[in-house]
Amino acid sequence: MFKFRKNIIFSIYRYGHWVFYIKNPIIRFIFNIPYKFLFFTVSKMLFNAEIYPKAKIGKNLQLPHHGNGVIIDDATIGDNVIIRPQVIIGKTFKGGSKCATIGNNVDIGVGAKILGNISIGDNVKIGALAVVIKDVPSNVTVVGIPAEIVSRSKSSAV
């Protein structure tokens, strides 16, 4: 079931990403109608996952469990990232226009919130329910509200 759900969600995301970059507004409008239907009925209502089409996602993104993940607009996510349930990658209320840039090999714990125009380095572990509002360097583990560094790793792999 996991692989089926993941394939459906990513297929809808890829279709929406393709539609978003169509130059002709009339053709984009026509192709946007089925995307909106699929996004709101299948991705949002059935699978509780929202991946907006402006997001840039690297290879091998993993969504291991079902539940309420949100990746807003212009987030950039690297390769081999694990996003657990109820994670939100979004903007702040201060009117920020950009989302986070997440590096490669990042493991994001259950319920974590990554907010604002920040940068998350490579090989980072973000603990459950952490609220990340500042840049995070590579090879660290962060936890807490607001997230603080609790350990550093010398290895390049998570």
Side-chain angles (χ1 to χ4, degrees), residues 13-156:
Y13 158 74
R14 282 191 290 268
Y15 178 72
H17 192 74
W18 174 77
V19 168
F20 182 78
Y21 288 103
I22 294 175
K23 301 284 186 217
N24 186 320
I26 295 168
I27 295 173
R28 183 174 53 237
F29 176 78
I30 291 168
F31 282 103
N32 201 28
I33 293 168
Y35 166 70
K36 293 290 186 184
F37 175 77
L38 290 170
F39 178 76
F40 285 108
T41 58
V42 177
S43 185
K44 212 171 176 182
M45 293 173 79
L46 185 61
F47 293 126
N48 278 340
E50 297 177 42
I51 302 176
Y52 286 81
K54 280 177 59 178
K56 293 178 182 74
I57 298 176
K59 295 181 287 187
N60 198 26
L61 174 68
Q62 297 177 44
L63 302 168
H65 300 286
H66 179 69
N68 303 9
V70 178
I71 301 172
I72 295 294
D73 287 339
D74 52 1
T76 302
I77 299 172
D79 299 334
N80 304 314
V81 174
I82 300 171
I83 299 178
R84 304 202 190 280
Q86 300 176 351
V87 169
I88 295 177
I89 301 170
K91 300 175 183 179
T92 61
F93 286 115
K94 295 180 181 177
S97 62
K98 298 277 289 177
C99 283
T101 300
I102 298 173
N104 299 323
N105 304 315
V106 176
D107 187 349
I108 304 172
V110 174
K113 312 298 182 239
I114 301 171
L115 304 172
N117 185 12
I118 60 174
S119 178
I120 308 291
D122 295 337
N123 307 311
V124 171
K125 292 181 182 177
I126 299 173
L129 299 174
V131 177
V132 184
I133 55 175
K134 296 179 184 173
D135 290 346
V136 177
S138 295
N139 303 314
V140 298
T141 299
V142 295
V143 298
I145 303 172
E148 298 289 333
I149 297 172
V150 293
S151 70
R152 296 185 185 273
S153 172
K154 294 188 173 143
S155 70
S156 61

